[in-house]
Amino acid sequence: MCRHVLLGILFCLYLAGAAEARSPAYKPGEVLIQFRSEARAAALTRSEQNLGVRAVRRLAGGQVVQMALPENMSVPEALAIYGNDPEVVSVEPNYLLYTQGLPNDPYFDRQWGLANSGQSVNGTTGTAGADIDAVQAWEAAAGTGRVVVAVVDTGCHLNHPDLEANLWVNSDEIAGNGIDDDHNGYVDDRQGWDFADGDNYPQDASGHGTHVAGIIAARAGNARGITGVARQVRLMPLRFMNGFDTGTVADAIAAIGYALANGARIINCSWGSGGYSSSLYNVMAGANALFVCAAGNNAEDADRHAFYPAGFDLQNVIAVTASDQEDELAWFSNYGLHSVHLAAPGSRIYSLGLDWQNLLAEDFSATPLVGWTTGGTPDSWDARLEPDGQGNQVLSLTSEATYSNDANTWAMTPALDLSTATACQLTFQITGASEAFRDYLYVEVSTDAAAWANLPLQVGDAIKHGGLNGNYPYWTLIMSDLGRWDRSPQLYLRFRFTSNGTHTLAGFRIDNVTVSAVSDQEAYAYMSGTSMAAPFVSGVAALLRSRDPQLTPAALKSAILGSVDRVDALADTSQTGGRLNASKALNYEQDSDNANADLASTSGGGGGGGGGCFIGLIGP
């Protein structure tokens, strides 16, 4: 069967995990350590005193400690030191995890995954019946508010008209009183929690989590937009990924722990990476919840190149690959006869999106700069005509042929009011050049125009933490996540350039500086990826639990895997060789003897239950 493995093709925004499948990326300066319980406190104290490390957080009920390393200690050095410590059970990097969706396509207008009549999608005629039989399933169950599905992701659009009625509410917490009413360690966590920014407002900043949430449970019968698989269940938004669609293992651990502590028994995990984490494995193994996980978008055999957490060999994990509207494996999707369980629709999926409003939109058409402040040595920034003779003005570092040696010069925006804004982000375009690794352009943020912090910048798929330098021969789009400053009554941004005393070049020009935030307007979008396939399965699991709240994670998994539509084109892509069928799953679930008989043959996963390179996320 042709798997459409088109190497090197365009869809790369969400393929950041591909390279990490061989050498997973991790957060510099941190490791996760599990000390032996009988020596935990004493060992931690000795580490802090002798090695200069610092405990940032205790996770998984205190079993795992997130440790910050001193500046003179690298992550590999820490792994070597603690790996030989008899008081340490495991040590691993704080790996980065990535969403597993693909770029959206705004021209498709059908939810073929729920009901496929063979309609044309982007010029391709689908195969009638290549869907999950959702319409037939809804005759038996539509989901109820008793069932809670945790969306551990980039957050959700909390005010989307097609979603907000189905969002989980923490009834034990009083909103806005500044008190931890339910004594769970989180203040005013009425609608979940944002573990990326550390606040009580898990607003989506990229659209990924919102899209996932809509597939599971967009509201039905409200004369708006679309409908989700389980149209009346409650969604618990837990944000652990930032505006770059990247999250750390430690934040994912905390988010999963919150979900479990607050009663979620179905947890959607549309993300992952290529490194194995004993911490995540152990926590998921001990959790009374079903974890539905994206199999990854690297177009690889996951039996050979494992992708986690989908690859954990656990009875409460379902690994989902993506099928297209012709009932074939989507070209981007991972597959695996042993490590992947089933397919679900994941190509050109229509669901909820984000709408944006501009808080600042500067094209530098006014001369001199209006509202901006410049300064430093030399005070050289200004709005100037582009040298191409087209009459376009940009923010330019200098009017000279080259910038000055030993410069420290800046240009600052007017004060921005973000008091009612959420999911804020900065975008701008840049071109020009500086001496590589010596002369840098920094983008900085401040709430008082006195104390400044450096912003990480996304350039393509790369995140630059130390400013920009070198050659940008063409106009290049740069983005930065401002989510930590959401709802700030006053915020300043500035471009600051520094140079040393050696060579000088032409410097940088900047245009189209925009600060935007998510609006309350409803929006819809198309995305593709195993990220989109996983929530179809989570939705069906929610339908099953709405019918029988006593179903265990293993029983849910057995019913879902035992009721697939077996498809010839998918025969060698997963354990079941089939595609999700909601209607059959609801009927299958009624026969408990059937479910128990099939459990042993469908409960396995792949890839490394207890060893290998450490990666991960964990939750109590």
Side-chain angles (χ1 to χ4, degrees), residues 148-509:
V148 177
V149 180
V151 180
V152 179
D153 210 288
T154 65
C156 294
H157 190 335
L158 302 180
N159 299 314
H160 197 295
D162 216 5
L163 186 65
E164 59 181 343
N166 282 355
L167 292 178
W168 172 82
V169 174
N170 182 0
S171 59
D172 294 328
E173 192 76 12
I174 300 172
N177 67 355
I179 299 173
D180 181 11
D181 300 289
D182 57 2
H183 307 291
N184 68 350
Y186 301 95
V187 176
D188 292 340
D189 57 319
R190 184 77 171 166
Q191 289 187 289
W193 196 258
D194 182 344
F195 294 89
D197 291 340
D199 60 47
N200 61 6
Y201 202 71
Q203 173 66 49
D204 192 0
S206 77
H208 185 272
T210 297
H211 198 274
V212 166
I215 295 170
I216 299 171
R219 191 71 172 176
N222 60 354
R224 291 181 180 273
I226 64 165
T227 180
V229 175
R231 301 172 292 171
Q232 298 175 40
V233 305
R234 296 294 177 260
L235 296 166
M236 181 187 294
L238 299 173
R239 182 176 188 254
F240 87 100
M241 291 188 167
N242 57 29
F244 301 127
D245 280 351
T246 302
T248 68
V249 166
D251 286 337
I253 290 168
I256 291 174
Y258 183 102
L260 296 171
N262 285 278
R265 295 296 172 257
I266 301 168
I267 300 178
N268 192 88
C269 303
S270 288
W271 38 263
S273 75
Y276 173 81
S277 169
S278 62
S279 301
L280 175 59
Y281 178 91
N282 292 332
V283 168
M284 290 172 66
N288 181 25
L290 178 69
F291 294 88
V292 182
C293 304
N297 298 334
N298 303 329
E300 293 181 333
D301 185 345
D303 294 346
R304 297 178 56 202
H305 306 296
F307 188 86
Y308 301 103
F312 289 148
D313 186 4
L314 294 172
Q315 286 192 351
N316 61 343
V317 169
I318 296 180
V320 188
T321 189
S323 59
D324 62 23
Q325 74 266 30
E326 295 180 291
D327 251 352
E328 294 189 355
L329 185 73
W331 68 265
F332 51 79
S333 185
N334 286 359
Y335 52 91
L337 194 57
H338 303 290
S339 59
V340 176
H341 296 108
L342 82 166
S347 179
R348 297 179 284 271
I349 302 302
Y350 190 58
S351 185
L352 310 185
L354 301 182
D355 180 74
W356 295 88
Q357 57 182 332
N358 287 341
L359 308 177
L360 171 70
E362 177 63 80
D363 63 2
F364 304 104
S365 59
T367 304
L369 286 172
V370 176
W372 287 60
T373 306
T374 62
T377 307
D379 184 354
S380 58
W381 289 96
D382 205 350
R384 299 184 176 96
L385 287 171
E386 268 279 74
D388 58 10
Q390 300 299 311
N392 183 45
Q393 289 204 155
V394 299
L395 178 64
S396 178
L397 170 60
T398 179
S399 61
E400 304 298 329
T402 63
Y403 54 79
S404 302
N405 280 325
D406 301 314
N408 186 354
T409 179
W410 50 265
M412 182 178 71
T413 67
L416 304 174
D417 181 2
L418 308 185
S419 56
T420 61
T422 59
C424 298
Q425 61 179 232
L426 164 72
T427 60
F428 62 93
Q429 293 174 291
I430 187 173
T431 187
S434 72
E435 187 178 8
F437 308 112
R438 286 176 171 80
D439 302 339
Y440 287 86
L441 176 71
Y442 301 95
V443 182
E444 299 175 324
V445 61
S446 175
T447 57
D448 59 5
W452 295 89
N454 187 42
L455 285 173
L457 304 172
Q458 183 175 38
V459 186
D461 290 332
I463 307 298
K464 307 286 187 180
H465 291 274
L468 305 176
N469 71 98
N471 188 25
Y472 291 83
Y474 309 105
W475 283 105
T476 301
L477 181 66
I478 312 292
M479 193 273 277
S480 189
D481 180 15
L482 299 177
R484 291 187 181 275
W485 294 274
D486 284 355
R487 302 179 180 180
S488 295
Q490 180 174 271
L491 194 75
Y492 299 89
L493 300 168
R494 74 176 183 182
F495 297 96
R496 183 170 69 92
F497 182 78
T498 65
S499 63
N500 65 4
T502 57
H503 299 89
T504 61
L505 297 174
F508 294 115
R509 304 187 303 282

Side-chain angles (χ1 to χ4, degrees), residues 102-124:
L102 291 175
N104 64 317
D105 191 330
Y107 300 107
F108 308 118
D109 59 0
R110 301 291 183 99
Q111 287 184 271
W112 66 266
L114 301 179
N116 191 342
S117 62
Q119 67 266 45
S120 178
V121 177
N122 196 28
T124 299

